[in-house]
Structures are given as C-alpha cells and as structure tokens.
Amino acid sequence: MKKLKLLLAGLLICSGLMASEKEDIKFLDELFLQKKYSMALQESNNFITKYPRSKYIKNIKVRMGQVYYVEGRYQESINTLNGCLKELKLNQNETNSIYLYLTKAYVGLKDFETASKAANLIVKTTAEGKNDYEEALLSIGKGYMDNKDYIRAQRELTSALSVQGRNYEDVVLNLALAAYNNSQYIKTIVYLDEYYRGAKVGVNKDLVNYLYGSSYYKTNETSKALEYFKKVKNSNVNSEYKTLSILTMIEIYLKQGNAKAAENILASLSSEPKLYNTALKSFGDFYLVRGLNDVALSYYNKISNKDIDVWYGIALSQYRLKDYKNSLENFRKLYPTKYKNESIYYQLSIEYLNKNYKWVLSNRNLVAGLNLNRDEEIATNNLIGTSAFQEGDFKVAEEYYTKNYNIAPTKESLYKMIVTLSKTKDRSRLNSLIKEYNTKYPTDQEYRKNITIITSDNLLAEGNGEQAINVYKEYLTTNRDPDVVSNLIEVMIAQKKYNDVMQYLNIQDASLENTYQKGIATMGMGRYDEAEMYFNQVINSTDNVDKALYEKSKYNIIKNYFLWEKYQEAIDAGEAYVAGENLFALEDVVDKIAISYFRLDNPEKAREYFEKLKLVSNMGDYAQFQIGETYYSEKKYNEAIEAYKISAENSNNPEYKEKGLYWEISSLYLLKNIDGFNAKSKVFLSQYPNSKLKDNILLMKGELYSVQGNNGDSLKSYEMLYNETKDEVLKEKSLMKVIEISQSTKDITKELEWINKITNDNKKSYYMAKHFQREKKLEEAKAEYEKLITTDEYKDFAALGLGDYYYSHKDLVKAKEYYENINSLENSAYKDRALYQIANIQKDTGMTGDSIRNYTKLYVLYPTSEYALESKIRSAEGYENLNNYKDAIAQYDELLKTESKNKDYFLEKLIFLNLKMEKKDIAKVYYEQLKRENLKLSEKYKDFFNGGENI
C-alpha cells in the first residue's frame, strides 16, 4: 500500500491544464484519497476516453491496476498492468513497481507459477529494486501460507530472506509462521530469535511471544512455554493471542494436574468477563473430553453469558450424568441452532432411555430433512425402530429397520427385520427373509440359534408342528445347545409328544418321587434353578430316601448343571459322583464330565474321560468318535484323522462308522491332502451312496479338483452334486460352479446348457449377457442388459453393458448417461470403470479439464483399480494438452517414481516438457536417467544437450 499511496499523491494539478481537465483530475484524486474506488475506477476510464493525450494517462492507468489489486479484482489488475507494460514508456522503478503488483495479483489468483515469473522480472540492481523483489517474494510466501502450502511458503520466504531488504523483519516473522504451521517448532524458535533482534518486535510482540510459547509447548518444554504465555497474558493489549495464551496456560496446568495454578489464572480474569467466560468454557471442555462430566458441568454453569456451544456442553454433560430431565430441556433449546442434528438425536435417545417410546414414535418426523451422515442415520433409525418394537407397532419398526438394511445390508439389520416380522402375521415375508438369511449367511452362528427358534415358531403358527420339531433337530445335529433342546421339549409338549422326562409335569402331590419328576420337567423346560431346588429337596430330605431315587437325583443335579452350562459345577459334582459308590447312569456322568472339560477348553482332560468311557461296551463307539472331535476342534487334523479312522473302521455303530469316515475326509480336505482325500471319498461314495453327507463330499471334491487345476473332474463333481442334492443352496452353488468352469474352459455349448437351468430370470439374463459379451454378440447382449437395467441387483452391471454398447457405437451422450447412472449408486463394483469411461468421453469431446478431474478422482478413490495407472497417464497428457506443463511434469514425475512400467515414456515426456519450459538443467537429469534405462532411445535427445537449443 505504500507505493499506492505515493502514486495516488503524485498527480500534480498544473496551472497549464484546461479547466475541465484540472477539475476532473482533482475530482479523481479525491475519489482515490477517500477510497471510493468503484467510482474512481469508473471516472478513470472516463478520463482516459475524454483526454487520450493527457500526460497523466500513464499515472492513471498504473494507479487503476494497483487499485484493482487492492479491491481484489486480480484479473482486471493483471490486464491493466500488462497493458501499461505494453503501451507506456516507463522508467525502471515504475516497471519494477508494476511487476511487484502483478506478482501480488497472480498470488491473489493462486497462480503462483506466473507470480514467480513476474517477481523474477524485477530488476534488482538498485536498492529500491531489491526491496520490490523482496516484497514480491514475501507476497508469494504469504500466498502459499494462505493456501496452507507451508513447504513452498518456506522456500519462497527463504529466498526473500537472502535479499535482506527493508522487509527483512516481516520475512523472518512469516518464516516463523510457516515453520510453525509446518510443525517445525525448533525452526520456528530460531526464526523468532532472529526476529527479536530486529526493530519491529514491539509491533507484533504478542504474536511473537505466543508463537514462542506454543512452539516450546509443542516440543514439551512447558516451563519455557509458560514464560512466554505469561508475557502475552500480562500484556496491556487485548488480542486473540492473549486469549489463546491464557487458554493454553490453563490447558498446560490442567494436564500437569496443577489445578490450583489453573484456577489462579481463572481467578485473575474475573475483572474481564468475556475472557473469564472463555476460560471457564476451556475448563469445561477439558473435563468433558476426559469424561469427568460432573466437573465439566460445574464450570459450564459458572459461565455468565452462555452461547450455544456452552449449552451444548451442558446438555451433553447432563446426558452422560443421566440427568435426562435437564439434558432434554437443554437439547430442545438447541433445536434451532447449528446443533439441530444433535438436538434431535439426543431428544430421541433420552425419551427412548426414559422408555417414553410413544414420544419417540410420535416425533419421528423430526428427522425428516436432516443432514445426517450414514452412522447418525443408522443410529436414529435404530432408536425409532426399537421404540416402535417396544410399543408393539411392528409395521413402523419394520419400516425403520428396513431403512437401515437398505443403507447397510448387514447381518445384524437383516436379523432385526426377521425378529420384527416374527411378531406380525406376514408369514410369507418372514419366510422370504429367513431364506435370504440362510442363503447369505449359511455358516453364521451368531444369530442362527434365534433364527432357528423364530423359524420353528413360524412353522407352529402355520400349524406345521412336525416341521418345527425337525428344524430344531436339524440345528442340534451340528450345534449342541441346551436352549434349543429346551425349546424342542416345549414344542414336543405342545405337540403332545411327551417323553419319559415330561410325563409327570402336571403331577402335584408332594412325594419325593413326584418332587424328583418336577425336577426332570423343569430341567427339560430350562428352568434350571427350579430343577436344582427340586433335586436338592430329594437329596436333603429327612425322610428315608430310596437309594435308586437318591442316585438319580444326584445324577440329574450333574445333568442340570451341564444343561445350565455351569460346566465347572458339573465337573465337581460328576467327579464326586464317580469317586463314590454310585452306579446309576455312570457312563453318562463320565460323558458329561468329558464334554464339560471340552467346553471349558481343556481337550486333554476331555480325552482322558472319553478314554475311560471307551471301557463301557455300549459307549465305546461314541467315545472314540468324540476323541476325534476334540482333536478336530483344536485343528490337530492329523491326530483327528487317526481317531476318526478308528471309528470308521472299528465301530459297531453304523452312525459312527459313517460319521467317522466323513470327518476323516473333512480333515484330509483341510490339510489339502488330495491323494488321501480322493481315496477316502471314493470309499465313502461307494459305501454310503444315499448319505446326507454325500453333498458335502461332492462339494469338497469339486473345490479340491479346482485347486488342482483338474477342471474335468471338478466339473463332474459339481454336475453330480447338482443332479443329486436336495439342498437348494447347494444346488444353486453347484450350478454356478459348473457355469464358471464352462466359461473358463470355453465350452460354449455346456455353458448355455447350464445357464438355461437357472430358475431366477434376472440371474439367467445376467449370465446370458456375460456370455453374449464374451462372444461379441453385442445386440443380443444389449437385449439382456435392457431386461436387467430396472432390477436392483444387476442395474449397475446392465448400465455398464449399455454404456459400453453405446460407446462402441459412438453414441457418447447415451453412453455417458449410463455410466453416470453407475456413479450415482451408493455401491457398485463397476464405479471405477464407469468413471474411466466418463473421463474418456470428456477427453474425446474436448472437455479436457473435466476429464482430468475424473481421471484424478479415479486413481485417488480407486488406487488398486486396473484403470488407475492409465488414468494417471491420461491426466498428465490432459495437463500437457492444456499447456499446463507444471502439473503435467509433476504428474509424470510421480509416475516415474511409483510405476515400474513405461519408464521410457515418462522420461521422454519429462525431457520434452522441461526443454519446452527452458529448464534444460532439469531436463538433462531425466536425459541421464533415460540413457541408463534405454541408451538407444536417448540418442534422439543427444543434440539438445550438446550445444543444442530448447524445444
């Protein structure tokens, strides 16, 4: 501004001027002096038009360029000042001044490359020229800082530092700021030390002392930091640095555990209400973040003038302290503020926690139109859905759980939908969701138990009691769960399938025998605490207890603990039982001790008791199989194989012979022992052609053959599985495997044969489209894409296919429309491909800038995409086509450093572009590298580096 003021005062009104010109000059000067720049610029243009030969035209035009800069109209400033350079006769100082303002204007446009060029045009042979050059570099440095590019800022400011002109202290201070923002705190201190020796330290004393304090704080020298913060605190000037210093001092003392010192600072601010309130908030925030909510609240409450940030802190503290009444009141006050999202969420949450589910439901429309992120939306939907569930409004609960499933189709959200639908009469949809769960999560254990119960309940509601029992039995073939056993017993009771455990359920007399039977009944119902009470009543009775009843009661206490999953108690009672003279169900007690040890992760002890159990004639086969199970659970597959082999070869029980051989095969499969697997699976399929386990053998067989690369035998295994299995999930899986292998072996006839077996029309169209695509039958493929474009599951696949179709037919408008449809989806495996094609279309239609943006977006968002490398290259070529050589060079240089392929191409580009920009020294560095990489290719550049010219 100093130069601007000098120039504004430099238009002398000479007596020789015409009266009108004299008045106009005077008017113009006054406008500039009063900073009425808009009118001054307008009048300047009028003056130039009116007096084209005036000797003051030069000063007016230069002044206009400077004022445009001051007004932030940088491009107009540049145009005007460049016009001055071309049209006017200027002395050296005037030219330097123009280049200085050009530098500043380009900085304003963030065009730092051109700003640097303008700065370098300043002639530095005079003291004034050096000062202008220094100021120009200072301006570029500040511009980089405003742009948060602190590394380049330091580079420019370091260059300015070497000039040591009249702006030296400003340069040093800005270097300190740049170093500080670049987390170089030691450097910051060094620059501040230098600044302290200058003449301007008093002007920026608070800033300098704050930077000192903060830098020392960042380097953990808190004692020094406090010294400087105290200087700012004790300053007579109220500034942002004073506030920051005081708050940081408080933070330091609080972190040190020196609450007294922090409180002393706080007390010293009592005469400055605004600062005192800010400090109180700092205390509150400090304790709130650390979970000391009651302390935080006490400080927030002391603030006399509470803004919305303070009220938010108060409301959140109260919420965490479970003071829901006051928290709710305060969150309601925050509704019209920037905390609207939080206000609504916590209102819903508090009413939910207060079990005021009706309020949550009746106010659920509050969330409509809120700008919630994904996690906030899921949390809010859960609150509303669960409130509706609690209120029995299962339709609304389903609606909100479905919203969450659409946002994040997780196992948990699907489970919540199933549980909710189990409360409605929509049996069809419930069955559909259960089927979806079984298809998507066939190996899940987290929710399988509960979904099994829901499935059985649904079957009971439909009158299919026998099927409900079978569902439980099927679950229990692979999961030993007492809760499911209990439910199975309940279903059997409902179906009047009373076993010997349940037949005395309704006997009410007080005999010890009937007390024992009540224990049996309640144990079967899963009411283990009651069962324990009944059995203990028998054991502890003062009446003469029959020895057999006494032993049975002791046995059932062990069994009850086992079913109760109190395995240690089961072991203790069982080992005491075995050590005594008890004989009733002795083998079952030994079995339960073994299984209890197994469930307590002590397989060695479990095997010890199973070995004992083998001595009992009717339990030997079972015990031997269980020994195999313990090894299998430990993933000791070789030991498991040996144990299962004994079962398969020596068991008298057909069940354990079959299961022993199956699990031996499964262990061989897990060990990838292909020869052993083939031999044993052949035996199994021969011995047990109708086994339920046959499907799993065929599935494993197909997978192992595939790993081995034996596609023929793998195909036969999957075909056999498809033709013989009754399991729809396995049938579908085997069908997909057959199609996959047919595709890989290019057996078109077989591929089409099996695609036509697909029963789902959309899936069939999907596979037909892929087939036609590979066979380059584009019109047929297009017809399938058009069927799929409206489906949820395949719309992105179809959109890509249609996009590629129209792209290949040069209908770029339609192609782009389909590619953009993919990008609008929340999730798709084809987003990178679609983005790549959009960028290609933009490149082909001359929208180079847009194409660069999308190529960049692709490799930034999808760094592992197959299109990432090509996108990097094309973005570099795009910059080159726009003559943006700087960014092109940066991109090619990055490619050279990170990519192992195409190095010759990147090096050639870097040589060419640097020569183009007359950076011969840099080009030569790349030339030398190209010589090392490809000497022959480098020959064409030889002349450029042996006395030749730039390109």
Side-chain angles (χ1 to χ4, degrees):
M1 285 300 297
K2 186 177 180 183
K3 282 187 174 294
L4 181 60
K5 289 176 182 176
L6 286 172
L7 189 55
L8 292 179
L11 298 184
L12 301 178
I13 309 299
C14 298
S15 59
L17 293 177
M18 297 280 291
S20 58
E21 185 178 355
K22 182 177 179 179
E23 287 178 4
D24 288 345
I25 282 287
K26 185 176 180 180
F27 176 52
L28 200 51
D29 278 345
E30 281 300 318
L31 288 174
F32 280 113
L33 288 169
Q34 293 179 30
K35 297 183 180 179
K36 296 181 179 180
Y37 293 136
S38 180
M39 186 178 291
L41 290 167
Q42 185 178 341
E43 288 302 316
S44 294
N45 279 318
N46 291 340
F47 186 94
I48 293 167
T49 303
K50 193 173 180 181
Y51 311 107
R53 298 182 180 278
S54 171
K55 65 179 180 179
Y56 295 105
I57 292 292
K58 177 175 74 172
N59 286 350
I60 289 172
K61 286 186 174 181
V62 172
R63 181 168 60 181
M64 287 176 71
Q66 293 171 331
V67 171
Y68 279 131
Y69 164 74
V70 172
E71 286 280 273
R73 297 161 66 177
Y74 301 123
Q75 191 57 57
E76 290 169 278
S77 174
I78 290 165
N79 294 342
T80 303
L81 293 172
N82 276 329
C84 291
L85 289 171
K86 290 177 183 177
E87 299 165 6
L88 304 174
K89 291 182 180 180
L90 304 166
N91 61 39
Q92 194 61 66
N93 285 342
E94 290 169 337
T95 302
N96 282 348
S97 177
I98 287 175
Y99 283 128
L100 170 59
Y101 274 92
L102 280 171
T103 300
K104 291 180 176 182
Y106 282 118
V107 168
L109 292 176
K110 301 190 185 304
D111 183 353
F112 298 111
E113 185 177 355
T114 310
S116 293
K117 289 179 180 178
N120 287 327
L121 291 172
I122 295 172
V123 177
K124 301 175 280 292
T125 54
T126 65
E128 192 64 28
K130 285 181 179 179
N131 288 332
D132 286 343
Y133 179 62
E134 180 189 51
E135 188 177 344
L137 293 179
L138 175 60
S139 175
I140 296 171
K142 286 181 175 180
Y144 276 127
M145 279 207 289
D146 290 341
N147 216 31
K148 301 191 186 308
D149 189 345
Y150 302 115
I151 294 175
R152 286 191 171 91
Q154 284 178 276
R155 182 191 66 197
E156 295 296 329
L157 292 168
T158 301
S159 298
L161 191 69
S162 64
V163 179
Q164 296 195 351
R166 68 173 171 231
N167 299 292
Y168 180 76
E169 285 90 351
D170 288 340
V171 172
V172 173
L173 182 57
N174 278 279
L175 263 171
L177 284 166
Y180 178 83
N181 284 303
N182 206 28
S183 302
Q184 297 172 323
Y185 304 117
I186 301 299
K187 272 191 176 182
T188 304
I189 293 167
V190 171
Y191 287 129
L192 291 172
D193 287 344
E194 176 66 16
Y195 184 76
Y196 240 100
R197 288 192 284 270
K200 284 191 173 182
V201 68
V203 178
N204 298 296
K205 196 171 184 179
D206 283 355
L207 168 61
V208 172
N209 285 329
Y210 172 73
L211 285 176
Y212 262 125
S214 193
S215 298
Y216 279 122
Y217 183 34
K218 298 287 187 182
T219 55
N220 296 317
E221 295 188 64
T222 51
S223 58
K224 287 186 178 180
L226 286 168
E227 288 178 22
Y228 284 99
F229 287 139
K230 284 175 183 175
K231 290 180 181 180
V232 186
K233 175 181 176 294
N234 297 329
S235 167
N236 294 324
V237 179
N238 287 324
S239 68
E240 61 177 312
Y241 306 113
K242 185 172 185 177
T243 303
L244 290 170
S245 295
I246 290 170
L247 297 180
T248 311
M249 286 176 72
I250 290 171
E251 181 182 323
I252 290 171
Y253 286 133
L254 288 173
K255 282 184 177 178
Q256 290 176 340
N258 190 351
K260 185 177 179 182
E263 287 286 356
N264 286 339
I265 294 177
L266 183 63
S268 71
L269 303 175
S270 58
S271 61
E272 301 178 66
K274 186 175 180 181
L275 193 52
Y276 182 68
N277 285 338
T278 304
L280 284 170
K281 183 178 181 297
S282 183
F283 271 84
D285 292 346
F286 177 86
Y287 288 117
L288 183 66
V289 169
R290 284 154 182 80
L292 297 171
N293 302 298
D294 53 341
V295 182
L297 185 59
S298 69
Y299 283 100
Y300 288 137
N301 283 333
K302 291 176 185 177
I303 297 171
S304 59
N305 187 15
K306 298 178 179 67
D307 60 18
I308 57 170
D309 294 323
V310 174
W311 281 115
Y312 177 71
I314 289 172
L316 187 56
S317 301
Q318 292 167 333
Y319 176 83
R320 292 177 179 176
L321 291 167
K322 298 184 179 179
D323 180 5
Y324 297 137
K325 181 181 178 182
N326 288 314
S327 179
L328 182 61
E329 183 181 338
N330 287 322
F331 273 121
R332 281 177 177 161
K333 290 177 183 176
L334 290 168
Y335 179 77
T337 72
K338 66 180 180 180
Y339 292 108
K340 183 177 182 180
N341 284 11
E342 291 85 349
S343 168
I344 292 172
Y345 174 77
Y346 282 107
Q347 285 186 66
L348 292 171
S349 178
I350 291 168
E351 296 291 7
Y352 172 81
L353 292 168
N354 286 333
K355 298 185 178 180
N356 190 357
Y357 306 126
K358 285 183 180 177
W359 189 94
V360 176
L361 279 180
S362 56
N363 288 277
R364 65 184 183 271
N365 290 332
L366 283 173
V367 300
L370 284 186
N371 184 23
L372 300 175
N373 63 37
R374 182 175 177 273
D375 291 340
E376 289 170 340
E377 188 173 354
I378 289 171
T380 304
N381 288 341
N382 270 332
L383 284 174
I384 298 170
T386 307
S387 295
F389 188 90
Q390 294 292 342
E391 282 294 300
D393 193 340
F394 302 118
K395 196 71 180 172
V396 173
E398 181 196 353
E399 175 191 342
Y400 280 88
Y401 288 146
T402 302
K403 285 180 180 180
N404 275 356
Y405 188 66
N406 291 334
I407 296 169
T410 63
K411 182 175 64 176
E412 181 187 6
S413 54
L414 178 58
Y415 173 69
K416 285 185 176 181
M417 290 167 65
I418 290 171
V419 172
T420 304
L421 278 166
S422 72
K423 305 293 183 181
T424 71
K425 294 182 180 180
D426 193 347
R427 308 288 173 202
S428 174
R429 178 151 165 71
L430 177 59
N431 285 332
S432 174
L433 290 179
I434 290 172
K435 185 177 180 181
E436 183 178 348
Y437 166 83
N438 289 327
T439 302
K440 286 186 174 179
Y441 309 106
T443 61
D444 173 56
Q445 292 301 317
E446 184 179 5
Y447 298 123
R448 179 155 300 281
K449 171 180 162 182
N450 288 346
I451 288 179
T452 297
I453 293 169
I454 290 170
T455 304
S456 181
D457 288 347
N458 193 40
L459 288 167
L460 284 170
E462 292 175 342
N464 298 319
E466 195 66 32
Q467 287 185 45
I469 291 171
N470 290 336
V471 166
Y472 280 130
K473 285 183 175 179
E474 183 182 349
Y475 178 86
L476 291 170
T477 60
T478 55
N479 298 272
R480 302 174 178 93
D481 191 291
D483 291 336
V484 175
V485 171
S486 174
N487 277 17
L488 173 59
I489 292 171
E490 286 187 23
V491 173
M492 286 180 168
I493 292 171
Q495 297 299 306
K496 303 184 186 295
K497 291 183 176 290
Y498 302 108
N499 56 28
D500 57 335
V501 178
M502 302 302 299
Q503 63 184 332
Y504 301 107
L505 180 62
N506 295 316
I507 297 176
Q508 299 296 322
D509 60 45
S511 71
L512 290 177
E513 179 68 30
N514 289 335
T515 301
Y516 166 78
Q517 294 296 349
K518 286 178 182 178
I520 295 294
T522 52
M523 180 172 65
M525 295 292 290
R527 289 147 52 183
Y528 303 116
D529 51 346
E530 291 181 50
E532 183 183 24
M533 177 190 70
Y534 287 128
F535 293 134
N536 277 323
Q537 283 178 10
V538 175
I539 292 168
N540 298 323
S541 172
T542 56
D543 298 337
N544 290 327
V545 183
D546 177 76
K547 185 176 184 296
L549 183 62
Y550 183 84
E551 279 192 18
K552 286 196 294 183
S553 296
K554 288 180 73 175
Y555 159 74
N556 278 292
I557 281 179
I558 298 164
K559 184 178 179 181
N560 190 60
Y561 281 136
F562 181 84
L563 294 173
W564 205 350
E565 297 182 2
K566 291 189 173 185
Y567 299 120
Q568 190 58 55
E569 288 87 342
I571 290 168
D572 294 340
E575 288 182 336
Y577 188 91
V578 171
E581 296 179 356
N582 305 291
L583 296 174
F584 178 80
L586 187 61
E587 67 278 7
D588 194 43
V589 172
V590 174
D591 181 37
K592 284 181 170 47
I593 293 170
I595 295 172
S596 295
Y597 272 122
F598 179 73
R599 292 185 180 175
L600 290 176
D601 294 322
N602 192 341
E604 288 187 14
K605 268 292 204 182
R607 285 192 285 272
E608 179 185 320
Y609 276 88
F610 282 130
E611 287 292 346
K612 292 178 181 180
L613 195 60
K614 283 170 65 177
L615 301 175
V616 181
S617 60
N618 67 328
M619 298 291 285
D621 292 343
Y622 161 79
Q624 178 59 46
F625 180 79
Q626 292 301 326
I627 290 169
E629 293 279 80
T630 62
Y631 283 124
Y632 191 93
S633 70
E634 287 183 278
K635 299 184 179 178
K636 293 181 177 179
Y637 299 121
N638 285 314
E639 292 87 342
I641 287 168
E642 293 304 315
Y644 287 135
K645 187 176 181 181
I646 294 171
S647 288
E649 294 179 358
N650 300 332
S651 179
N652 294 316
N653 187 319
E655 177 188 358
Y656 292 113
K657 281 184 80 73
E658 180 184 350
K659 287 167 68 176
L661 182 55
Y662 171 79
W663 288 105
E664 183 185 354
I665 292 166
S666 179
S667 301
L668 289 164
Y669 167 78
L670 291 168
L671 289 171
K672 298 291 185 286
N673 185 337
I674 295 173
D675 292 338
F677 175 87
N678 285 338
K680 292 292 181 178
S681 60
K682 187 175 181 181
V683 172
F684 187 96
L685 295 174
S686 172
Q687 290 183 0
Y688 307 107
N690 299 315
S691 172
K692 290 181 179 179
L693 300 170
K694 178 181 175 182
D695 290 351
N696 289 342
I697 299 281
L698 291 173
L699 187 63
M700 289 188 281
K701 196 178 179 99
E703 288 175 356
L704 271 185
Y705 279 134
S706 181
V707 170
Q708 200 177 18
N710 186 345
N711 288 324
D713 286 334
S714 181
L715 191 65
K716 288 176 185 176
S717 297
Y718 288 126
E719 286 178 336
M720 186 185 297
L721 177 59
Y722 177 85
N723 291 324
E724 297 184 11
T725 186
K726 294 179 181 178
D727 186 317
E728 289 302 320
V729 174
L730 285 177
K731 188 178 275 291
E732 180 76 6
K733 186 171 183 178
S734 58
L735 174 58
M736 295 301 106
K737 288 288 186 182
V738 171
I739 293 170
E740 184 182 312
I741 294 169
S742 301
Q743 289 171 352
S744 66
T745 56
K746 298 183 179 178
D747 188 339
I748 296 170
T749 303
K750 185 172 284 293
E751 180 189 357
L752 287 173
E753 174 193 341
W754 285 86
I755 288 174
N756 282 313
K757 292 179 187 288
I758 298 173
T759 56
N760 181 290
D761 290 339
N762 291 338
K763 184 175 280 191
K764 184 185 288 187
S765 283
Y766 169 73
Y767 278 97
M768 287 301 293
K770 292 182 77 173
H771 168 77
F772 289 135
Q773 197 176 41
R774 281 193 305 278
E775 295 301 306
K776 303 200 183 317
K777 295 182 177 180
L778 303 183
E779 295 301 326
E780 291 87 341
K782 176 174 176 278
E784 300 298 334
Y785 296 141
E786 287 171 342
K787 294 177 188 175
L788 295 170
I789 195 65
T790 58
T791 68
D792 290 332
E793 190 174 358
Y794 299 108
K795 68 167 63 171
D796 56 344
F797 168 77
L800 183 66
L802 289 168
D804 288 348
Y805 173 85
Y806 286 112
Y807 185 82
S808 66
H809 286 72
K810 309 298 182 188
D811 189 343
L812 301 184
V813 174
K814 265 196 174 182
K816 187 165 178 279
E817 178 184 334
Y818 282 110
Y819 292 137
E820 285 175 340
N821 283 346
I822 297 171
N823 268 348
S824 68
L825 297 174
E826 185 173 352
N827 294 301
S828 172
Y830 308 114
K831 281 200 168 193
D832 58 335
R833 165 74 179 170
L835 197 55
Y836 181 66
Q837 287 296 84
I838 290 169
N840 286 338
I841 291 169
Q842 290 167 333
K843 178 176 75 73
D844 293 343
T845 53
M847 299 169 68
T848 308
D850 290 335
S851 74
I852 291 171
R853 177 181 176 275
N854 280 317
Y855 285 133
T856 305
K857 185 177 178 183
L858 191 152
Y859 69 73
V860 168
L861 292 181
Y862 311 104
T864 59
S865 167
E866 63 181 295
Y867 308 107
L869 174 57
E870 188 60 29
S871 293
K872 289 180 182 179
I873 295 171
R874 293 195 178 190
S875 67
E877 292 170 345
Y879 285 129
E880 190 178 347
N881 291 335
L882 292 174
N883 296 328
N884 184 350
Y885 301 135
K886 178 189 171 188
D887 287 337
I889 288 170
Q891 186 80 333
Y892 284 126
D893 191 50
E894 179 68 21
L895 284 162
L896 181 65
K897 290 174 182 174
T898 57
E899 302 296 335
S900 58
K901 297 179 181 179
N902 304 309
K903 281 185 176 291
D904 293 353
Y905 177 72
F906 303 146
L907 285 166
E908 282 199 87
K909 284 291 186 181
L910 287 163
I911 292 167
F912 172 79
L913 291 171
N914 277 290
L915 287 172
K916 190 93 174 169
M917 294 181 70
E918 301 184 2
K919 294 182 178 180
K920 195 169 183 179
D921 290 344
I922 298 174
K924 190 170 183 181
V925 173
Y926 293 116
Y927 167 66
E928 293 297 335
Q929 187 175 345
L930 182 61
K931 281 168 64 178
R932 293 191 296 273
E933 297 281 346
N934 191 330
L935 182 61
K936 185 177 179 181
L937 186 62
S938 71
E939 289 293 320
K940 61 171 130 175
Y941 300 102
K942 192 174 182 181
D943 291 343
F944 290 113
F945 301 104
N946 292 329
E949 298 298 324
N950 289 322
I951 293 175

